[in-house]
Amino acid sequence: MTVTSESTTGDQLADSLLQGVGNEQMRAATRLLGAHRDGYWLRRLLEEEAELAAAADRPVVDRSGMHPSVDWDAVGLLMLSRPGALKCSRSEMAVLEVAASLVTPLRGAARLGRPGS
């Protein structure tokens, strides 16, 4: 089980969420979020897991395997259908969009340079 604490660094948090993940795009996206503001988004996904899962109508953290990992499809769906549930600045949303674009580059909300941005 992945647990966040004040002493856990963003890199350590990313490592814990990457156990058993072989997809290089998912690894890069998770590492990016681990490096940004000491794991700001990874902490939010874990600490607000129930609320974000309810908003996305599916878990944002996949706990079906031996180790939890970010469910990038759920994150993309949340960004696309319920971005207000993420309650963040435009710059924080941009970081999440960049990370998601590494995994799902054609997803509407995660496409960089989208009209209206």
Side-chain angles (χ1 to χ4, degrees), residues 2-109:
T2 299
V3 178
T4 62
S5 73
E6 289 183 25
S7 64
T8 305
T9 68
D11 290 335
Q12 291 170 329
L13 200 50
D15 286 342
S16 71
L17 289 167
L18 288 172
Q19 293 181 36
V21 175
N23 180 294
E24 288 302 316
Q25 290 88 351
M26 293 172 85
R27 295 182 68 77
T30 304
R31 288 210 182 279
L32 172 64
L33 294 187
H36 174 69
R37 288 188 52 204
D38 199 31
Y40 170 81
W41 275 115
L42 297 180
R43 290 178 203 288
R44 288 218 30 214
L45 293 175
L46 291 164
E47 292 169 0
E48 300 173 24
E49 187 174 353
E51 299 86 19
L52 295 175
D57 291 326
R58 61 186 281 182
V60 294
V61 176
D62 181 358
R63 297 186 179 274
S64 64
M66 292 187 66
H67 304 284
S69 62
V70 175
D71 183 329
W72 288 101
D73 287 335
V75 170
L77 179 65
L78 188 60
M79 290 180 352
L80 191 61
S81 64
R82 302 282 308 272
L86 295 166
K87 297 179 187 123
C88 64
S89 68
R90 289 170 55 184
S91 62
E92 290 298 345
M93 181 60 81
V95 170
L96 187 59
E97 288 176 352
V98 167
S101 74
L102 295 173
V103 179
T104 55
L106 299 178
R107 185 175 301 284

